[in-house]
């Protein structure tokens, strides 16, 4: 009588032999080089890399074209000679020292700084209320008011400045700080309204209704719920208003005078009559301040998403 253990021992090799031979055939390397499909995969990777490079090159070229004038301006401000030339014959900080020690430039810096603060406070307050009312309000003529609020964006600034010149002459506001304040606010207000409108359109009205159902009044709901949600648009509008006021030339040149010469107007005059590296130094300082403000604002808010 046969032993069952012996029978099972003899059965396993017979059963596993075909699979072992199949595994051996599978593991055996193929002749003629790498496995099929590897070369095609490497080719597709190269094609994808070439496509990304072809897409990135125009973008890099555009950025270099935009940044090249700023780099040339910054390097020209370090010129050791009195001529505004590039490349500079030598590196020196003498023009920064002259600008910061000049009484005329310091007066213009103070005037432009005061104007920026006044314009930002005025346009942010009026623009936020106007944008929220235009987006959430339901009244006749809302579309017409929206068009009028954004109309200064469609009109050339030289025409706005000429109209303000004739208007301010009758009011005695030419060559005055209030006149510049009103003029800059008029030019910057549409930017604030437009950016706050973007945030207001994305505002969820159920949050305000929830605050109202919990007992909050309209003023408290607006201050504690609506304004924090509109903060990205408000900050973006404030930055736009500050940059617009700080770089305004056409309107300022028409409504300002000898006692109210802003930094851009003084730069424009210096370029016409006294072209030296001090103009490049002032422009570089303004550029650095603008970049620092943008970085600081974007660091604490989602400012870039609104833009």
């Amino acid at each position: 009588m046969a032993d069952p253990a012996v029978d099972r021992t003899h059965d396993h090799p017979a059963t596993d032999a075909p699979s072992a031979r199949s595994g051996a055939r599978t593991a055996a390397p193929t002749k003629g080089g790498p496995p099929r499909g590897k070369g095609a995969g490497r080719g597709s990777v190269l094609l994808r890399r070439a496509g990304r490079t072809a897409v990135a090159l125009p973008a890099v070229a555009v950025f270099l074209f935009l940044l090249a004038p700023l780099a040339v301006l910054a390097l020209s401000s370090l010129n050791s000679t009195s001529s505004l030339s590039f490349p500079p014959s030598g590196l020196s900080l003498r023009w920064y020292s002259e600008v910061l020690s000049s009484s005329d430039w310091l007066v213009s810096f103070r005037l432009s700084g005061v104007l920026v603060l006044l314009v930002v406070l005025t346009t942010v307050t009026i623009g936020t209320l106007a944008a929220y009312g235009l987006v959430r309000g339901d009244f006749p003529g809302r579309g017409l008011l929206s068009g009028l609020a954004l109309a200064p964006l469609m009109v050339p600034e030289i025409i706005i400045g000429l109209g303000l010149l004739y208007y301010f002459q009758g009011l005695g506001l030419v060559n005055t700080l209030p006149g510049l304040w009103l003029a800059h606010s008029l030019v910057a207000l549409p930017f604030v309204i437009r950016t706050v409108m973007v945030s207001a359109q994305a505002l969820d009205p159920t949050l305000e209704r929830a605050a109202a159902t919990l007992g909050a009044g309209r003023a408290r709901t607006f201050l504690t719920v609506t304004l924090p949600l509109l903060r990205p648009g408000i900050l973006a509008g404030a930055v736009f208003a500050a940059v617009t006021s700080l770089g305004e030339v056409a309107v300022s040149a028409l409504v300002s005078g000898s006692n109210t010469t802003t930094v851009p107007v003084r730069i424009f005059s210096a370029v016409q009559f006294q072209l030296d590296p001090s103009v490049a130094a002032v422009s570089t300082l303004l550029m650095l301040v603008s970049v620092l403000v943008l970085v600081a604002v974007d660091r604490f808010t989602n400012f870039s998403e609104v833009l």
Side-chain angles (χ1 to χ4, degrees):
M1 184 173 180
D3 191 354
V6 175
D7 293 340
R8 287 194 298 270
T9 305
H10 287 289
D11 289 341
H12 286 292
T15 304
D16 298 336
S19 61
R21 288 195 297 271
S22 175
R25 286 196 300 269
T26 304
T30 57
K31 296 181 180 180
R36 185 183 302 176
K38 190 173 181 180
R42 194 161 34 224
S44 63
V45 171
L46 292 176
L47 286 176
R48 285 196 298 268
R49 290 180 179 175
R52 286 195 295 265
T53 304
V55 172
L57 282 178
V60 172
V62 170
F63 277 111
L64 289 177
F65 177 77
L66 294 175
L67 294 177
L70 302 180
V72 170
L73 185 68
L75 291 176
S76 299
S77 66
L78 299 174
N79 204 331
S80 60
T81 62
S82 59
S83 61
L84 187 61
S85 59
F86 183 83
S89 57
L91 300 180
S92 175
L93 296 175
R94 57 172 289 197
W95 300 108
Y96 289 92
S97 176
E98 290 190 10
V99 166
L100 296 177
S101 61
S102 172
S103 59
D104 294 335
W105 282 112
L106 291 179
V107 168
S108 296
F109 278 128
R110 284 194 294 267
L111 176 61
S112 294
V114 171
L115 275 176
V116 167
L117 293 177
L118 293 175
V119 169
V120 168
L121 292 175
T122 304
T123 55
V124 165
T125 303
I126 299 175
T128 300
L129 297 175
Y132 184 75
L134 291 173
V135 172
R136 303 299 300 276
D138 187 11
F139 51 88
R142 186 179 63 171
L144 179 61
L145 288 178
S146 298
L148 290 176
L150 301 178
L153 294 176
M154 308 302 295
V155 181
E157 291 185 2
I158 188 65
I159 297 178
I160 296 176
L162 187 61
L164 289 175
L165 174 62
Y166 287 113
Y167 183 60
F168 285 172
Q169 277 183 342
L171 298 177
L173 294 177
V174 177
N175 192 19
T176 63
L177 179 59
L180 283 174
W181 176 19
L182 293 175
H184 285 203
S185 299
L186 176 64
V187 175
L189 183 60
F191 294 99
V192 180
I193 294 177
R194 187 70 190 108
T195 53
V196 178
M197 285 178 68
V198 173
S199 295
Q201 289 169 352
L203 181 64
D204 188 0
T206 58
L207 299 176
E208 296 176 315
R209 288 197 294 267
T213 57
L214 293 174
R218 291 186 177 181
R220 186 175 181 182
T221 300
F222 184 78
L223 293 175
T224 60
V225 177
T226 305
L227 278 183
L229 294 175
L230 296 178
R231 184 176 60 180
I234 294 173
L235 289 176
V239 171
F240 276 124
V243 172
T244 302
S245 176
L246 194 59
E248 180 56 51
V249 177
V251 175
S252 299
L254 291 174
V255 300
S256 65
S258 58
N259 298 327
T260 54
T261 303
T262 61
V263 173
V265 174
R266 190 169 295 279
I267 291 176
F268 184 73
S269 301
V271 169
Q272 287 183 313
F273 304 107
Q274 186 182 357
L275 186 60
D276 57 34
S278 62
V279 178
V282 174
S283 303
T284 304
L285 290 175
L286 294 180
M287 181 174 58
L288 290 177
V289 170
S290 301
V291 171
L292 291 176
V293 170
L294 287 176
V295 171
V297 171
D298 192 55
R299 173 66 177 81
F300 298 102
T301 64
N302 54 348
F303 171 70
S304 56
E305 295 181 4
V306 179
L307 297 180

